Each structure stands twice: as structure tokens, then as C-alpha cells.
Amino acid sequence: MQLPDGYSARPPRTQDAQVVVDMFNEESVELAGVPVVDVEWLTSPWAAEDADLEQDFAVIVADGGEVVGYLSLESDPPYTRVFSVGGVRLQHHGRGLGAAIVRDAERRAQRFVAMAPLGEGVVLHIGTLSDEPHVSELLRSQGFREVRRFWAMRIRFEHAPPPPEPIPGIEIRTLRPGEEGDAHRCLAEAFNDHWGGTFETKDRWLRQHVKVPHFEPSLWRMAWQGERLVGALVGEPRSSQEPELGYIALVGVRAEARGRGIADAMLRSSFVGFHERGLAGVLLLVDSESTTGANRLYERVGMEAQPRFSTWEKTLRLPHAS
């Protein structure tokens, strides 16, 4: 990585995790008013089976040893979409570190381009806080364009939420042991027609949602039609952004079962569970341009929206290029 004088890069170490989290949250509190990440979110990708700690992650260190920046890249087969996150400590803005991180993300992403099927296009996505003017200007100058915006949607409980109305032929209940694979398959199919295409691999998904300290199956909701799972909701007992709120990481319904109020019912059922857990409300993130109308669904069940994250895109390889 080509950095300004006085800075160097190295792979992250376990003891860097909280420092990097604090760095990200310092900026998000200033811009959005809330912290947005935690240690688990940061370090989970480091342990991925196919992760390369030397190639896909880096911390930026100032002379004297202070960690002042971070870079990560992730991609799943078929490696046609690479996702990157970067950040610079507020006190070190304006010194060229952000531009160096963006350029190096593009350089490092080339290893995934080489792994993608020949003839298929490859894009690099960079996630940022929405409406951050300096970052937006930097990414545009490096050839990126904003392609998606995600809203934080929340509901705060003023009283005990009512349970959903029953849906004929559908049983909504919590996750039972051994059903994690069913949930992954259902959500992968449900998200097949969403923007972004490829759903997470089972290994990465399990590592992020099941093999974690906050795994709480009583907060999940599974919608069964006989022996077929047609909808799933992944609930977590704490939002990293607002710890007094529960968090819905994923909710999806197979295309064949949409239009019957299943997602609505899973959400309302989960609200009952979150309230019984003593939480003040629930938060989730949603694509503002969801083709399934998810944002309208969340508003219908009483959730309010606020812009939170943006995804920026740059083409690394055009389709059919040799």
C-alpha cells in the first residue's frame, strides 16, 4: 500500500479490533448520531475459511504505533462482486489516507477478478455512511458511483405489540435445533431476486448468524407451510447501533409464498418476542429500492426510516472481457 510519509500498513491483530471499532464509531456518532459496528462484526470475516488475513485486511499505523485506518475486502464465489470497507480516524482526515485505502482496495480486489469465471464482469463495492460529503467526493474522484442506499428502520414499543393474525396453512414459530440449514436455503432463495445477486455461502452465513455469542433462536421466526419453510426471520438480542433495541438481521419469503402477509406476520410475531425480552424496540436495515417493497412493509408495521449506509460501485472487469 502506498501511504503518505509517517504511515505504514500491516495485517490486523486481535488487539486492534476494539481500537478499529472505536475509530469507526467515533465517525458514525459524529455524522449519524449512533455507533454502527461492534467487535464481532469486525472480526468475524477474519475467521472465514477462505479469508486471507495478509491480502484482504489491513490496519494503517502512524509512526509511534497508533492505529489510524482500516481496510477489508470480502467476496464469495463466483467472485463477481467484491465488497470493501475502509475508514480513517477523524484526527487523520485530510492527509491522503482515504485515497490510499481506496486505491489499495482496488489493487487487492484483483485477486478476486482472477478467480471469477472468464467472460463475466466483476465490480467492486465500497460501503460508506450515507451523506458523508468528503467520502462521496473521494469515491467519485476515483471512478465510483453511488448505486444503492440503505435505511435504518426502527420501531420503539410504546406498549405491548399485538400478535399477528393467523394465516391459513402457515405456522410461524421459533427456530428449532437442526433447522439452521433450512433457514439458509430459504433465505438464499428469497434473496435470489434482490439487488446484489449472490447470497452468502452457508459457511459464512452460519459464522455470522449462528456460531456467534448472540445467537438466540427464540428471536428467530420460521414460517412453515407443511414441511416446507417458506419464510425466515433472523433476530438478534441487541443492535450494535442502539443496544436498547433488538435487531433483525434478515427477513425473507420465498417468491412462491409472497403476497399472503407472511413477512408481515413474522415481523409482528418477532416484535412480541423482542418486547417480552424487555427490549425497547427493534432496528433493521433495508434496501431503499427493494424490488419486493420491503420498505413499504416495514412502514406498514410501524417502523420509521432514516438513511444510514450507501454502496458505491466501480467496474473492475467488463463482461466478456478476456
Side-chain angles (χ1 to χ4, degrees):
M1 183 183 298
Q2 294 183 338
L3 292 164
D5 292 341
Y7 298 96
S8 60
R10 60 166 172 79
R13 302 166 184 161
T14 302
Q15 59 266 34
D16 298 324
Q18 189 62 57
V19 178
V20 174
V21 166
D22 292 344
M23 178 192 77
F24 276 119
N25 286 337
E26 181 184 14
E27 181 173 19
S28 69
V29 167
E30 179 169 293
L31 186 65
V34 293
V36 296
V37 301
D38 57 22
V39 168
E40 196 170 287
W41 171 86
L42 183 82
T43 59
S44 177
W46 301 355
E49 189 174 311
D50 56 350
D52 188 328
L53 205 60
E54 296 275 344
Q55 295 294 323
D56 300 338
F57 308 91
V59 293
I60 315 303
V61 182
D63 287 351
E66 180 188 16
V67 173
V68 300
Y70 181 72
L71 166 65
S72 72
L73 287 97
E74 296 181 71
S75 187
D76 285 327
Y79 306 111
T80 54
R81 296 175 185 270
V82 185
F83 185 76
S84 179
V85 172
V88 176
R89 188 174 295 280
L90 283 174
Q91 296 87 338
H92 293 259
H93 281 197
R95 304 183 187 184
L97 294 177
I101 288 172
V102 172
R103 288 193 294 267
D104 206 57
E106 187 172 349
R107 179 187 67 82
R108 292 175 185 236
Q110 293 302 316
R111 88 175 187 92
F112 295 111
V113 175
M115 296 163 65
L118 290 176
E120 293 196 21
V122 181
V123 296
L124 173 61
H125 287 158
I126 291 184
T128 71
L129 290 168
S130 295
D131 301 318
E132 212 291 1
H134 299 298
V135 172
S136 300
E137 181 181 348
L138 166 63
L139 291 172
R140 288 192 187 95
S141 73
Q142 298 294 317
F144 287 81
R145 62 188 181 94
E146 186 177 2
V147 293
R148 221 67 175 186
R149 185 164 287 210
F150 296 85
W151 293 339
M153 302 202 71
R154 66 175 58 75
I155 183 171
R156 290 185 176 272
F157 303 137
E158 298 179 0
H159 45 71
E165 294 292 327
I167 301 173
I170 299 295
E171 178 190 10
I172 295 177
R173 57 171 173 78
T174 59
L175 176 74
R176 294 176 181 172
E179 294 178 344
E180 296 85 357
D182 294 302
H184 176 264
R185 286 189 292 274
C186 177
L187 288 166
E189 184 176 322
F191 279 82
N192 186 54
D193 56 358
H194 284 52
W195 180 81
T198 307
F199 193 67
E200 294 171 314
T201 62
K202 184 178 179 181
D203 175 71
R204 189 187 298 276
W205 185 85
L206 289 172
R207 194 177 61 255
Q208 290 182 345
H209 302 293
V210 177
K211 299 175 182 179
V212 289
H214 63 249
F215 174 54
E216 182 48 77
S218 68
L219 295 176
W220 291 41
R221 292 296 182 269
M222 309 278 277
W224 291 92
Q225 181 173 302
E227 296 184 355
R228 181 165 172 78
L229 184 66
V230 294
L233 177 152
V234 178
E236 300 176 2
R238 185 182 70 87
S239 163
S240 61
Q241 301 179 33
E242 299 176 59
E244 73 277 14
L245 303 182
Y247 183 64
I248 295 176
L250 292 164
V251 57
V253 175
R254 282 185 156 117
E256 74 207 44
R258 291 175 189 161
R260 299 172 60 187
I262 293 173
D264 184 298
M266 288 194 298
L267 284 164
R268 293 183 190 275
S269 176
S270 77
F271 292 170
V272 173
F274 283 117
H275 183 266
E276 290 175 346
R277 186 71 176 253
L279 292 156
V282 182
L283 179 125
L284 58 79
L285 298 176
V286 61
D287 181 351
S288 64
E289 299 178 44
S290 168
T291 57
T292 62
N295 49 346
R296 295 188 297 277
L297 163 66
Y298 300 137
E299 290 171 349
R300 191 165 63 244
V301 298
M303 306 188 87
E304 297 181 347
Q306 176 187 1
R308 182 57 53 82
F309 299 108
S310 294
T311 298
W312 294 72
E313 179 179 283
K314 183 173 184 177
T315 299
L316 300 181
R317 188 177 76 188
L318 292 169
H320 308 299
S322 57

